Amino acid sequence: MKYDFDTVVPRRGTNSYKWDSMPAVDILPMWVADMDFRTAPAVTEAIRKRAEHGIFGYTRVPDSYYEAVVNWFARRHGWKIRPEWMIYTTGVVPALSAIIRALASPGDKVLVQTPVYNCFFSSIRNNGCVVEENPLKYENGKYTLDAEDLERKAADPAVKLLLLCNPHNPAGRVWTRPELEKIAEICRRNGVLVVADEIHCELAYPGHPYTPFASLSEEALSHSVTCISPSKAFNLAGIQIANIVAADEEIRQKIDKAININEVCDVNSFTVDALEAAYNNGEEWLEELKLYLYRNYETVRDVLGERLPQLRVLPLEGTYLVWMDCSALGLPEAEIVRLLEEEGRVMVNGGEMYGETQGCFIRLNIACPRKLLLEGLDRICRTLEGRVCGT
């Protein structure tokens, strides 16, 4: 490989939320969804040049910023975004909150497809709205769309929005075009607007192509809002940048007003340079990253398949978050998480925070050098081996 993903870069003592929030220094964090890799060299160089200037005043977002986004999505995904459809903001979560505020009223219902990213719930509730779950079907170790339940829930006049996670966190699904078309048809017919969180869109693996929801048709484009960001693919969460894409002018104006009311309408001095460098010069690095991440997934699957075959590692179609069914252990989920932290000295996310899971699950972040991954897997195996059915 041209790029180095094997070097372990120390993160403790850098105010890393992932590493410096640990209750003890010997606990290995495999929870928060950021990566333990340095970003693409082109991005680092762009940030370095900006830092050397030494003045960090208010930032204007130039035409070249919009061009970088437009060209990236047209080239990689065949989705032609117009610059005037875009609203920049500080992150996908602030974007979701502003969109809900703009397009729903307190007391309205917002659909989510559980298990799903936990901030969906807080963004809905913080705006005085009600969470309505459309649980995914869990069969034969895979989650799929429950279209019949979605049809029933979407028919409720109180339901105004569907928050779609595409690719899906934590289930690891990359929704197929037919699945997305089914969602689009049901929501359009019932007057439910789709809000697509596509932050993981660049991390779809071979055989599972990412389809932007808004690219399905003109109707899907006009009846949806999409949130995108380079933060997951290029490990730029701390840079804080995201874009909202809304083709409908009336919808976009409402969102823009909410963005300003929420005071998340300005970006920091490094965001423009970082995004442009990622989208203009980071593609080769990203493709190597995806190869490395998928090999990490294969390592998880193989190691646990040999040492802890009771655990079911779900197929990973996208993201770097492995979803594991621990039901065969016969232990409560909270106890598994506690054992892994206190005895195994490894931190994972428990499944309950993501809503209805139809089982006992943990989520494992595998975006780290393989040396750290193997250490974490060994700790998990040593802790859980022999504990089937609580023995």
PDB file of all heavy atoms in Angstrom, residues 3 40 42 71-72 75-76 202 234 277-290:
ATOM      1  N   TYR A   3      -0.149   4.141   1.244  1.00  0.00           N
ATOM      2  CA  TYR A   3      -0.411   4.889   2.470  1.00  0.00           C
ATOM      3  C   TYR A   3      -0.313   3.970   3.687  1.00  0.00           C
ATOM      4  O   TYR A   3      -0.591   2.776   3.610  1.00  0.00           O
ATOM      5  CB  TYR A   3      -1.787   5.554   2.400  1.00  0.00           C
ATOM      6  CG  TYR A   3      -1.891   6.515   1.237  1.00  0.00           C
ATOM      7  CD1 TYR A   3      -2.507   6.115   0.043  1.00  0.00           C
ATOM      8  CD2 TYR A   3      -1.353   7.793   1.313  1.00  0.00           C
ATOM      9  CE1 TYR A   3      -2.589   6.981  -1.029  1.00  0.00           C
ATOM     10  CE2 TYR A   3      -1.433   8.664   0.243  1.00  0.00           C
ATOM     11  CZ  TYR A   3      -2.054   8.255  -0.940  1.00  0.00           C
ATOM     12  OH  TYR A   3      -2.113   9.115  -2.007  1.00  0.00           O
ATOM     13  N   ALA A  40      -5.969  11.877   5.174  1.00  0.00           N
ATOM     14  CA  ALA A  40      -5.219  11.873   3.914  1.00  0.00           C
ATOM     15  C   ALA A  40      -4.132  12.940   3.939  1.00  0.00           C
ATOM     16  O   ALA A  40      -4.361  14.066   4.417  1.00  0.00           O
ATOM     17  CB  ALA A  40      -6.170  12.117   2.747  1.00  0.00           C
ATOM     18  N   ALA A  42      -3.058  14.883   1.748  1.00  0.00           N
ATOM     19  CA  ALA A  42      -3.458  16.124   1.086  1.00  0.00           C
ATOM     20  C   ALA A  42      -4.230  17.028   2.044  1.00  0.00           C
ATOM     21  O   ALA A  42      -4.100  18.261   2.000  1.00  0.00           O
ATOM     22  CB  ALA A  42      -4.316  15.808  -0.145  1.00  0.00           C
ATOM     23  N   ASN A  71     -18.415  18.192  -7.843  1.00  0.00           N
ATOM     24  CA  ASN A  71     -17.599  17.325  -8.694  1.00  0.00           C
ATOM     25  C   ASN A  71     -17.405  15.946  -8.082  1.00  0.00           C
ATOM     26  O   ASN A  71     -17.419  14.924  -8.780  1.00  0.00           O
ATOM     27  CB  ASN A  71     -16.241  17.976  -8.962  1.00  0.00           C
ATOM     28  CG  ASN A  71     -16.356  19.212  -9.822  1.00  0.00           C
ATOM     29  OD1 ASN A  71     -17.331  19.385 -10.555  1.00  0.00           O
ATOM     30  ND2 ASN A  71     -15.364  20.097  -9.753  1.00  0.00           N
ATOM     31  N   TRP A  72     -17.214  15.882  -6.762  1.00  0.00           N
ATOM     32  CA  TRP A  72     -17.012  14.609  -6.073  1.00  0.00           C
ATOM     33  C   TRP A  72     -18.231  13.698  -6.231  1.00  0.00           C
ATOM     34  O   TRP A  72     -18.104  12.531  -6.614  1.00  0.00           O
ATOM     35  CB  TRP A  72     -16.731  14.867  -4.600  1.00  0.00           C
ATOM     36  CG  TRP A  72     -16.567  13.652  -3.745  1.00  0.00           C
ATOM     37  CD1 TRP A  72     -17.563  12.974  -3.087  1.00  0.00           C
ATOM     38  CD2 TRP A  72     -15.351  12.945  -3.447  1.00  0.00           C
ATOM     39  NE1 TRP A  72     -17.041  11.904  -2.391  1.00  0.00           N
ATOM     40  CE2 TRP A  72     -15.692  11.873  -2.598  1.00  0.00           C
ATOM     41  CE3 TRP A  72     -14.022  13.142  -3.802  1.00  0.00           C
ATOM     42  CZ2 TRP A  72     -14.732  10.986  -2.104  1.00  0.00           C
ATOM     43  CZ3 TRP A  72     -13.069  12.260  -3.310  1.00  0.00           C
ATOM     44  CH2 TRP A  72     -13.424  11.195  -2.473  1.00  0.00           C
ATOM     45  N   ARG A  75     -18.783  12.629  -9.935  1.00  0.00           N
ATOM     46  CA  ARG A  75     -17.772  11.684 -10.417  1.00  0.00           C
ATOM     47  C   ARG A  75     -17.919  10.311  -9.774  1.00  0.00           C
ATOM     48  O   ARG A  75     -17.868   9.276 -10.443  1.00  0.00           O
ATOM     49  CB  ARG A  75     -16.382  12.253 -10.125  1.00  0.00           C
ATOM     50  CG  ARG A  75     -15.237  11.355 -10.635  1.00  0.00           C
ATOM     51  CD  ARG A  75     -13.889  12.013 -10.412  1.00  0.00           C
ATOM     52  NE  ARG A  75     -13.502  12.053  -9.000  1.00  0.00           N
ATOM     53  CZ  ARG A  75     -13.483  13.154  -8.268  1.00  0.00           C
ATOM     54  NH1 ARG A  75     -13.866  14.316  -8.793  1.00  0.00           N
ATOM     55  NH2 ARG A  75     -13.102  13.111  -6.998  1.00  0.00           N
ATOM     56  N   ARG A  76     -18.121  10.270  -8.470  1.00  0.00           N
ATOM     57  CA  ARG A  76     -18.122   9.000  -7.752  1.00  0.00           C
ATOM     58  C   ARG A  76     -19.496   8.332  -7.688  1.00  0.00           C
ATOM     59  O   ARG A  76     -19.579   7.109  -7.624  1.00  0.00           O
ATOM     60  CB  ARG A  76     -17.593   9.204  -6.325  1.00  0.00           C
ATOM     61  CG  ARG A  76     -16.095   9.424  -6.260  1.00  0.00           C
ATOM     62  CD  ARG A  76     -15.617   9.571  -4.832  1.00  0.00           C
ATOM     63  NE  ARG A  76     -15.835   8.403  -4.015  1.00  0.00           N
ATOM     64  CZ  ARG A  76     -14.992   7.361  -3.913  1.00  0.00           C
ATOM     65  NH1 ARG A  76     -13.866   7.352  -4.636  1.00  0.00           N
ATOM     66  NH2 ARG A  76     -15.261   6.352  -3.104  1.00  0.00           N
ATOM     67  N   GLU A 202     -19.233   7.193   1.730  1.00  0.00           N
ATOM     68  CA  GLU A 202     -17.991   6.808   1.045  1.00  0.00           C
ATOM     69  C   GLU A 202     -17.436   5.482   1.535  1.00  0.00           C
ATOM     70  O   GLU A 202     -16.468   4.963   0.970  1.00  0.00           O
ATOM     71  CB  GLU A 202     -16.934   7.896   1.219  1.00  0.00           C
ATOM     72  CG  GLU A 202     -17.339   9.263   0.714  1.00  0.00           C
ATOM     73  CD  GLU A 202     -17.811   9.270  -0.728  1.00  0.00           C
ATOM     74  OE1 GLU A 202     -17.392   8.393  -1.510  1.00  0.00           O
ATOM     75  OE2 GLU A 202     -18.625  10.146  -1.073  1.00  0.00           O
ATOM     76  N   PHE A 234     -12.889  10.712   5.947  1.00  0.00           N
ATOM     77  CA  PHE A 234     -11.557  11.303   6.046  1.00  0.00           C
ATOM     78  C   PHE A 234     -11.148  11.606   7.492  1.00  0.00           C
ATOM     79  O   PHE A 234     -10.147  12.269   7.722  1.00  0.00           O
ATOM     80  CB  PHE A 234     -11.481  12.568   5.191  1.00  0.00           C
ATOM     81  CG  PHE A 234     -11.519  12.283   3.711  1.00  0.00           C
ATOM     82  CD1 PHE A 234     -12.716  12.302   3.016  1.00  0.00           C
ATOM     83  CD2 PHE A 234     -10.363  11.963   3.026  1.00  0.00           C
ATOM     84  CE1 PHE A 234     -12.764  12.025   1.653  1.00  0.00           C
ATOM     85  CE2 PHE A 234     -10.386  11.680   1.667  1.00  0.00           C
ATOM     86  CZ  PHE A 234     -11.593  11.719   0.974  1.00  0.00           C
ATOM     87  N   ALA A 277      -9.480  19.817  -0.033  1.00  0.00           N
ATOM     88  CA  ALA A 277      -8.357  18.892  -0.196  1.00  0.00           C
ATOM     89  C   ALA A 277      -8.837  17.446  -0.221  1.00  0.00           C
ATOM     90  O   ALA A 277      -8.349  16.629  -1.021  1.00  0.00           O
ATOM     91  CB  ALA A 277      -7.351  19.100   0.932  1.00  0.00           C
ATOM     92  N   ALA A 278      -9.788  17.112   0.649  1.00  0.00           N
ATOM     93  CA  ALA A 278     -10.311  15.740   0.694  1.00  0.00           C
ATOM     94  C   ALA A 278     -10.980  15.374  -0.622  1.00  0.00           C
ATOM     95  O   ALA A 278     -10.678  14.337  -1.228  1.00  0.00           O
ATOM     96  CB  ALA A 278     -11.292  15.598   1.855  1.00  0.00           C
ATOM     97  N   TYR A 279     -11.887  16.223  -1.078  1.00  0.00           N
ATOM     98  CA  TYR A 279     -12.669  15.897  -2.272  1.00  0.00           C
ATOM     99  C   TYR A 279     -11.887  16.076  -3.576  1.00  0.00           C
ATOM    100  O   TYR A 279     -12.171  15.396  -4.562  1.00  0.00           O
ATOM    101  CB  TYR A 279     -13.931  16.758  -2.306  1.00  0.00           C
ATOM    102  CG  TYR A 279     -15.021  16.303  -1.342  1.00  0.00           C
ATOM    103  CD1 TYR A 279     -16.028  17.169  -0.954  1.00  0.00           C
ATOM    104  CD2 TYR A 279     -15.045  15.013  -0.828  1.00  0.00           C
ATOM    105  CE1 TYR A 279     -17.040  16.766  -0.075  1.00  0.00           C
ATOM    106  CE2 TYR A 279     -16.035  14.610   0.050  1.00  0.00           C
ATOM    107  CZ  TYR A 279     -17.032  15.482   0.413  1.00  0.00           C
ATOM    108  OH  TYR A 279     -18.022  15.077   1.274  1.00  0.00           O
ATOM    109  N   ASN A 280     -10.906  16.959  -3.581  1.00  0.00           N
ATOM    110  CA  ASN A 280     -10.144  17.189  -4.812  1.00  0.00           C
ATOM    111  C   ASN A 280      -8.927  16.276  -4.931  1.00  0.00           C
ATOM    112  O   ASN A 280      -8.526  15.924  -6.049  1.00  0.00           O
ATOM    113  CB  ASN A 280      -9.679  18.641  -4.896  1.00  0.00           C
ATOM    114  CG  ASN A 280     -10.832  19.598  -5.107  1.00  0.00           C
ATOM    115  OD1 ASN A 280     -11.888  19.226  -5.615  1.00  0.00           O
ATOM    116  ND2 ASN A 280     -10.639  20.860  -4.716  1.00  0.00           N
ATOM    117  N   ASN A 281      -8.337  15.893  -3.777  1.00  0.00           N
ATOM    118  CA  ASN A 281      -7.059  15.169  -3.831  1.00  0.00           C
ATOM    119  C   ASN A 281      -6.976  13.958  -2.910  1.00  0.00           C
ATOM    120  O   ASN A 281      -5.886  13.414  -2.718  1.00  0.00           O
ATOM    121  CB  ASN A 281      -5.913  16.135  -3.481  1.00  0.00           C
ATOM    122  CG  ASN A 281      -5.842  17.319  -4.434  1.00  0.00           C
ATOM    123  OD1 ASN A 281      -5.671  17.156  -5.638  1.00  0.00           O
ATOM    124  ND2 ASN A 281      -6.007  18.523  -3.898  1.00  0.00           N
ATOM    125  N   GLY A 282      -8.090  13.525  -2.329  1.00  0.00           N
ATOM    126  CA  GLY A 282      -8.031  12.438  -1.352  1.00  0.00           C
ATOM    127  C   GLY A 282      -8.577  11.110  -1.806  1.00  0.00           C
ATOM    128  O   GLY A 282      -8.645  10.160  -1.010  1.00  0.00           O
ATOM    129  N   GLU A 283      -8.946  10.993  -3.078  1.00  0.00           N
ATOM    130  CA  GLU A 283      -9.646   9.787  -3.531  1.00  0.00           C
ATOM    131  C   GLU A 283      -8.775   8.533  -3.461  1.00  0.00           C
ATOM    132  O   GLU A 283      -9.231   7.464  -3.045  1.00  0.00           O
ATOM    133  CB  GLU A 283     -10.176   9.993  -4.949  1.00  0.00           C
ATOM    134  CG  GLU A 283     -11.169   8.938  -5.382  1.00  0.00           C
ATOM    135  CD  GLU A 283     -11.966   9.384  -6.601  1.00  0.00           C
ATOM    136  OE1 GLU A 283     -11.633  10.438  -7.208  1.00  0.00           O
ATOM    137  OE2 GLU A 283     -12.929   8.687  -6.950  1.00  0.00           O
ATOM    138  N   GLU A 284      -7.529   8.632  -3.879  1.00  0.00           N
ATOM    139  CA  GLU A 284      -6.638   7.467  -3.844  1.00  0.00           C
ATOM    140  C   GLU A 284      -6.445   6.974  -2.414  1.00  0.00           C
ATOM    141  O   GLU A 284      -6.503   5.766  -2.133  1.00  0.00           O
ATOM    142  CB  GLU A 284      -5.287   7.825  -4.471  1.00  0.00           C
ATOM    143  CG  GLU A 284      -4.311   6.647  -4.530  1.00  0.00           C
ATOM    144  CD  GLU A 284      -2.962   7.062  -5.074  1.00  0.00           C
ATOM    145  OE1 GLU A 284      -2.357   8.022  -4.534  1.00  0.00           O
ATOM    146  OE2 GLU A 284      -2.498   6.427  -6.048  1.00  0.00           O
ATOM    147  N   TRP A 285      -6.240   7.906  -1.481  1.00  0.00           N
ATOM    148  CA  TRP A 285      -6.110   7.538  -0.072  1.00  0.00           C
ATOM    149  C   TRP A 285      -7.368   6.849   0.425  1.00  0.00           C
ATOM    150  O   TRP A 285      -7.300   5.827   1.131  1.00  0.00           O
ATOM    151  CB  TRP A 285      -5.832   8.804   0.742  1.00  0.00           C
ATOM    152  CG  TRP A 285      -5.718   8.582   2.223  1.00  0.00           C
ATOM    153  CD1 TRP A 285      -4.581   8.300   2.932  1.00  0.00           C
ATOM    154  CD2 TRP A 285      -6.783   8.632   3.190  1.00  0.00           C
ATOM    155  NE1 TRP A 285      -4.876   8.164   4.274  1.00  0.00           N
ATOM    156  CE2 TRP A 285      -6.214   8.362   4.458  1.00  0.00           C
ATOM    157  CE3 TRP A 285      -8.150   8.879   3.101  1.00  0.00           C
ATOM    158  CZ2 TRP A 285      -6.985   8.330   5.632  1.00  0.00           C
ATOM    159  CZ3 TRP A 285      -8.920   8.844   4.268  1.00  0.00           C
ATOM    160  CH2 TRP A 285      -8.331   8.572   5.508  1.00  0.00           C
ATOM    161  N   LEU A 286      -8.516   7.373   0.077  1.00  0.00           N
ATOM    162  CA  LEU A 286      -9.783   6.796   0.526  1.00  0.00           C
ATOM    163  C   LEU A 286      -9.953   5.365   0.037  1.00  0.00           C
ATOM    164  O   LEU A 286     -10.396   4.489   0.789  1.00  0.00           O
ATOM    165  CB  LEU A 286     -10.950   7.664   0.033  1.00  0.00           C
ATOM    166  CG  LEU A 286     -12.348   7.122   0.318  1.00  0.00           C
ATOM    167  CD1 LEU A 286     -12.600   7.014   1.813  1.00  0.00           C
ATOM    168  CD2 LEU A 286     -13.406   8.002  -0.351  1.00  0.00           C
ATOM    169  N   GLU A 287      -9.591   5.101  -1.197  1.00  0.00           N
ATOM    170  CA  GLU A 287      -9.751   3.744  -1.732  1.00  0.00           C
ATOM    171  C   GLU A 287      -8.841   2.752  -1.005  1.00  0.00           C
ATOM    172  O   GLU A 287      -9.235   1.610  -0.750  1.00  0.00           O
ATOM    173  CB  GLU A 287      -9.475   3.735  -3.236  1.00  0.00           C
ATOM    174  CG  GLU A 287     -10.554   4.439  -4.055  1.00  0.00           C
ATOM    175  CD  GLU A 287     -11.950   3.898  -3.772  1.00  0.00           C
ATOM    176  OE1 GLU A 287     -12.123   2.669  -3.750  1.00  0.00           O
ATOM    177  OE2 GLU A 287     -12.875   4.712  -3.560  1.00  0.00           O
ATOM    178  N   GLU A 288      -7.633   3.168  -0.652  1.00  0.00           N
ATOM    179  CA  GLU A 288      -6.758   2.291   0.129  1.00  0.00           C
ATOM    180  C   GLU A 288      -7.304   2.099   1.544  1.00  0.00           C
ATOM    181  O   GLU A 288      -7.218   1.006   2.107  1.00  0.00           O
ATOM    182  CB  GLU A 288      -5.332   2.843   0.168  1.00  0.00           C
ATOM    183  CG  GLU A 288      -4.582   2.648  -1.133  1.00  0.00           C
ATOM    184  CD  GLU A 288      -3.067   2.730  -0.954  1.00  0.00           C
ATOM    185  OE1 GLU A 288      -2.590   2.782   0.215  1.00  0.00           O
ATOM    186  OE2 GLU A 288      -2.360   2.748  -1.976  1.00  0.00           O
ATOM    187  N   LEU A 289      -7.847   3.169   2.117  1.00  0.00           N
ATOM    188  CA  LEU A 289      -8.462   3.053   3.439  1.00  0.00           C
ATOM    189  C   LEU A 289      -9.557   2.004   3.434  1.00  0.00           C
ATOM    190  O   LEU A 289      -9.640   1.163   4.344  1.00  0.00           O
ATOM    191  CB  LEU A 289      -9.041   4.404   3.864  1.00  0.00           C
ATOM    192  CG  LEU A 289      -9.961   4.362   5.093  1.00  0.00           C
ATOM    193  CD1 LEU A 289      -9.149   4.157   6.366  1.00  0.00           C
ATOM    194  CD2 LEU A 289     -10.800   5.638   5.188  1.00  0.00           C
ATOM    195  N   LYS A 290     -10.409   2.016   2.425  1.00  0.00           N
ATOM    196  CA  LYS A 290     -11.521   1.069   2.361  1.00  0.00           C
ATOM    197  C   LYS A 290     -11.024  -0.380   2.281  1.00  0.00           C
ATOM    198  O   LYS A 290     -11.602  -1.273   2.915  1.00  0.00           O
ATOM    199  CB  LYS A 290     -12.422   1.398   1.180  1.00  0.00           C
ATOM    200  CG  LYS A 290     -13.249   2.663   1.378  1.00  0.00           C
ATOM    201  CD  LYS A 290     -13.896   3.135   0.098  1.00  0.00           C
ATOM    202  CE  LYS A 290     -14.861   2.112  -0.473  1.00  0.00           C
ATOM    203  NZ  LYS A 290     -15.548   2.624  -1.680  1.00  0.00           N
TER     204      LYS A 290
END
